[in-house]
Amino acid sequence: MSSHNAAAPYYFVPGPSKWPLMAGMSLLTTMIGASAWVNDVSWGPTVNYIGLAATLAVLFCWFGDAIRESEGGQYSQRIDYSYRWSMGWFIFSEVMFFGAFFGALFYARSITMPWLGDLDHKAIWPDFVPHWGNTGPAGTVQEFKTMGPYPIPTINTALLLTSGLTLTISHHALRAGERGKTAFWLFATVLLGAVFMGFQAYEYHHAYTELNLKLTSGIYGSTFFMLTGFHGFHVTMGAIMLSVVLLRVLKGHFTPENHFAFEGAAWYWHFVDVVWLGLYVVVYWL
């Protein structure tokens, strides 16, 4: 919300918008491309990139409309409540999303693996040892090395924890009306997120080329790349959100009293931090 809401209507109802339909179509294109890509279909990567580009374009235009409505004095306190509830439920849905993947990891590691190694299955796979990170009982998975917590995951943990601190400093500066300080620490947060993604890209390259750890490396590889990959995607989206907020800070859109766009992006970023701490412990240490 902006500061220009003194004459805002009781509740603003926007006109018909094409953006929800276009967002759905672009996301569908993205997932079709991603599904084809993981199944080694030649056109998968191209369609995936087209879908991602279209999604970002739709979000840019859609959020632009919302920003213009806010700066035009259309948003009252009720719209602020609506945005807060919406962002809260969205983050809750993200908690459930990651909860499903953590649940799959727990089931595979703590239930399925011991079950495959019990006495009933020794007659089928007498040489199978039920430790996490193996190649499976049937021997169809290529040999690979597991990913440890040093050094990159630990460095990335420090980067994300530091980014949470810089974002909090930026928020306090905004509430104090110190726009320059707000922009500086917000830029530092985005930069830390970018460095995090750079390290993760290097980690993936190291996994594929030196450890032979791939998405096809059994249940270990699939859970590792699904959890860390989706988290990396969320970090990227969070960095984009904070970058947009940074541009708005530089344009003078926020006041100490009205700045939910900043707060909503900050909620999302702190959520991403918490998810990473769970990943760091469960995926890299245990």
Side-chain angles (χ1 to χ4, degrees), residues 56-238:
L56 292 176
V58 169
L59 291 177
F60 178 83
C61 296
W62 198 350
F63 290 167
D65 287 348
I67 291 170
R68 283 186 289 273
E69 291 164 359
S70 176
E71 292 301 303
Q74 298 295 316
Y75 289 175
S76 66
Q77 191 63 42
R78 286 182 170 272
I79 298 297
D80 183 78
Y81 293 151
S82 176
Y83 274 134
R84 291 177 185 276
W85 275 103
S86 299
M87 194 64 186
W89 282 114
F90 171 68
I91 292 177
F92 176 76
S93 73
E94 294 280 51
V95 171
M96 295 296 100
F97 176 84
F98 279 101
F101 286 109
F102 276 109
L105 175 62
F106 170 79
Y107 185 85
R109 185 171 184 167
S110 301
I111 298 178
T112 302
M113 196 62 63
W115 175 66
L116 290 174
D118 64 17
L119 290 177
D120 293 336
H121 294 84
K122 280 297 181 181
I124 305 175
W125 302 298
D127 298 327
F128 177 68
V129 179
H131 66 84
W132 184 242
N134 57 48
T135 56
T140 58
V141 178
Q142 295 181 358
E143 290 287 340
F144 63 88
K145 296 180 181 179
T146 58
M147 187 68 69
Y150 298 111
I152 292 178
T154 301
I155 295 173
N156 273 348
T157 302
L159 288 171
L160 275 191
L161 291 177
T162 304
S163 72
L165 175 62
T166 57
L167 183 58
T168 300
I169 295 173
S170 179
H171 190 196
H172 282 286
L174 178 57
R175 296 180 64 181
E178 300 174 345
R179 193 169 301 276
K181 185 177 179 181
T182 300
F184 174 82
W185 289 108
L186 188 54
F187 174 77
T189 304
V190 174
L191 182 61
L192 288 168
V195 174
F196 173 94
M197 288 307 302
F199 273 119
Q200 187 168 44
Y202 176 82
E203 179 187 54
Y204 275 17
H205 181 266
H206 168 68
Y208 265 74
T209 60
E210 300 180 34
L211 303 182
N212 199 37
L213 177 59
K214 304 176 182 178
L215 187 62
T216 56
S217 299
I219 188 64
Y220 180 90
S222 60
T223 53
F224 172 81
F225 283 106
M226 291 297 283
L227 275 165
T228 59
F230 272 116
H231 178 268
F233 173 76
H234 282 71
V235 172
T236 302
M237 295 305 296

Side-chain angles (χ1 to χ4, degrees), residues 6-23:
Y10 177 74
Y11 197 92
F12 172 70
V13 179
S17 174
K18 60 180 177 294
W19 301 127
L21 176 61
M22 296 187 67

